[in-house]
């Protein structure tokens, strides 16, 4: 079977590429890391106008989704440009709240779709931290079959990526939904977060490889570009192969998720997710995460000492690759899920 994007999906990716090319994301990243979320929120609004966050929100709440394939296209582009903010978490919240239903869905989903609401979340089994909770309009937590709105972002914790700060949400908060539907929606939301993170990792790895290829064409040693050395060519080829092997797994997982959403009885995004879809997402997550991290190691080595400097824009991508590899499912956890599925 061949997984090919449609002309419309490709054009969607090209439009996001054009939007982000003009956005100067390194400056946005530096501002975000310094606590100035204004430029990042402005970019978030432009991405929402392009339809990015509506992809995970059902039509009944003002969205156009769930559309996993289009979400993969979008997140790869956002990963290539290292767009700051809880992208995967907001998309996952769209699935979570749609599955929970009721007043909380009616209150928050239209804002997620329009870009007015930036949301972070934690789910049981994925760790206690909510990325970028200080910049979010809401932080949702799920424990068991209870969905709560956290009363505050909580205290920050150490993070490898200064533009992806981690917070342990303040405990408490009244339940906004509870019951078996919440538990099922949380499973689907976890798959969505892992899937979106895999796409972000793939995009991050692509940009790291592109920048490294450009660098080794310009950097010379012994009077010739270092990119002409056999060892460098082999290292870059291995990095490219890793990324290209991850790509079909990502889109294969998107097809599995789309099939799950469209199956009879799935409703408006409340399906809890099949073991097959979960295993496909886990396979995509571990492969894309490892490929992106391998691209970061290659980039750091081939850039030499300048790879460590704050002044090099690529440093933001280098710091992002490992957190994306481990977020929403570590490699070992994803491999275990693949075997179980």
């Amino acid at each position: 079977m061949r997984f090919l994007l449609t002309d419309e999906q490709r054009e969607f990716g090209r439009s996001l590429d054009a939007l982000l090319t003009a956005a100067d994301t390194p400056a946005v990243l530096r501002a975000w890391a310094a606590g100035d979320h204004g430029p990042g929120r402005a970019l978030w609004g432009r991405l929402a106008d392009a339809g990015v966050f509506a992809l995970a929100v059902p039509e009944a709440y003002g969205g156009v989704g769930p559309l996993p394939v289009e979400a993969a296209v979008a997140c790869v582009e956002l990963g290539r440009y290292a767009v700051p903010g809880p992208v995967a978490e907001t998309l996952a919240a769209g699935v979570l709240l749609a599955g929970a239903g009721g007043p909380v869905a009616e209150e928050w989903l239209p804002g997620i779709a329009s870009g007015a609401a930036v949301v972070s979340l934690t789910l049981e089994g994925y760790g206690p931290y909510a990325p970028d909770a200080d910049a979010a309009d809401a932080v949702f937590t799920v424990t068991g079959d209870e969905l709560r709105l956290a009363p505050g972002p909580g205290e920050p914790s150490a993070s490898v990526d200064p533009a992806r700060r981690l917070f342990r949400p303040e405990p408490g908060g009244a339940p906004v939904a509870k019951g078996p539907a919440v538990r099922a929606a949380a499973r689907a939301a976890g798959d969505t977060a892992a899937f979106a993170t895999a796409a972000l990792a793939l995009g991050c790895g692509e940009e790291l490889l592109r920048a490294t290829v450009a660098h080794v064409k310009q950097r010379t040693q012994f009077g010739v570009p270092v990119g002409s050395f056999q060892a460098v060519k082999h290292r870059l080829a291995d990095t490219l192969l890793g990324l290209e092997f991850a790509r079909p797994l990502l889109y294969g997982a998107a097809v599995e998720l789309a099939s799950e959403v469209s199956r009879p009885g799935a409703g408006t995004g409340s399906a809890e997710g099949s073991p097959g879809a979960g295993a496909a997402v886990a396979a995509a997550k571990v492969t894309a995460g490892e490929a992106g991290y391998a691209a970061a190691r290659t980039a750091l080595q081939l850039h030499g000492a300048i790879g460590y400097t704050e002044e090099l824009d690529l440093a933001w991508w280098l710091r992002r690759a490992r957190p994306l590899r481990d977020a929403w499912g570590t490699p070992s956890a994803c491999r275990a899920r693949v075997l179980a599925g």
Side-chain angles (χ1 to χ4, degrees):
M1 181 180 293
R2 300 177 67 194
F3 296 98
L4 295 176
L5 298 176
T6 66
D7 291 340
E8 291 80 6
Q9 290 163 344
R10 293 178 186 276
E11 181 57 34
F12 178 49
R14 286 191 290 267
S15 69
L16 292 177
D17 176 56
L19 185 159
L20 292 167
T21 297
D24 189 15
T25 53
V28 176
L29 280 162
R30 286 185 168 88
W32 191 275
D36 178 7
H37 301 130
R41 290 294 295 252
L43 177 57
W44 192 280
R46 294 197 292 275
L47 291 168
D49 291 341
V52 170
F53 302 107
L55 296 172
V57 177
E59 292 183 18
Y61 298 100
V64 296
L67 295 175
V69 177
E70 286 76 5
V73 172
C75 287
V76 169
E77 293 300 323
L78 270 59
R80 284 181 57 221
Y81 287 90
V83 171
V87 172
E89 292 74 24
T90 297
L91 293 172
V95 173
L96 173 66
L97 299 180
V104 66
E106 295 172 1
E107 179 181 0
W108 287 99
L109 285 177
I112 290 175
S114 69
V118 176
V119 177
S120 191
L121 80 163
T122 66
L123 299 175
E124 196 171 33
Y126 288 98
Y129 299 114
D132 298 307
D134 61 330
D137 299 297
V139 180
F140 291 100
T141 65
V142 176
T143 303
D145 62 357
E146 286 192 343
L147 170 63
R148 295 174 181 266
L149 179 60
E155 293 297 320
S157 298
S159 175
V160 173
D161 182 357
R164 188 177 183 276
R165 302 176 69 198
L166 301 177
F167 292 80
R168 188 186 291 267
E170 292 181 7
V176 293
K178 62 189 306 183
V182 169
R183 189 183 295 271
R187 285 194 288 268
D191 284 345
T192 299
F195 170 72
T197 303
L200 293 169
L202 179 61
C204 180
E206 287 181 350
E207 175 57 19
L208 285 161
L209 177 60
R210 184 207 63 77
T212 305
V213 170
H215 177 72
V216 299
K217 287 180 179 179
Q218 296 175 355
R219 180 184 172 193
T220 60
Q221 194 172 9
F222 307 117
V224 297
V226 298
S228 65
F229 300 160
Q230 195 78 351
V232 173
K233 290 180 179 180
H234 285 177
R235 185 70 184 267
L236 293 170
D238 288 343
T239 302
L240 175 61
L241 283 173
L243 294 169
E244 289 303 315
F245 271 111
R247 193 183 315 281
L249 289 176
L250 176 69
Y251 286 110
V255 171
E256 288 281 354
L257 289 172
S259 299
E260 180 65 22
V261 168
S262 63
R263 69 175 174 81
T268 58
S270 60
E272 66 178 72
S274 69
V281 168
K285 176 64 173 58
V286 67
T287 308
E290 294 281 32
Y293 184 47
R297 296 200 306 272
T298 297
L300 183 60
Q301 180 181 26
L302 297 185
H303 275 81
I306 66 171
Y308 290 98
T309 63
E310 289 283 345
E311 291 76 16
L312 183 71
D313 287 343
L314 197 69
W316 296 96
W317 280 258
L318 289 170
R319 294 187 213 180
R320 181 151 295 195
R322 183 163 182 172
L324 289 177
R325 183 195 71 170
D326 296 337
W328 295 106
T330 63
S332 60
C334 288
R335 290 188 179 98
R337 191 172 186 191
V338 171
L339 292 173

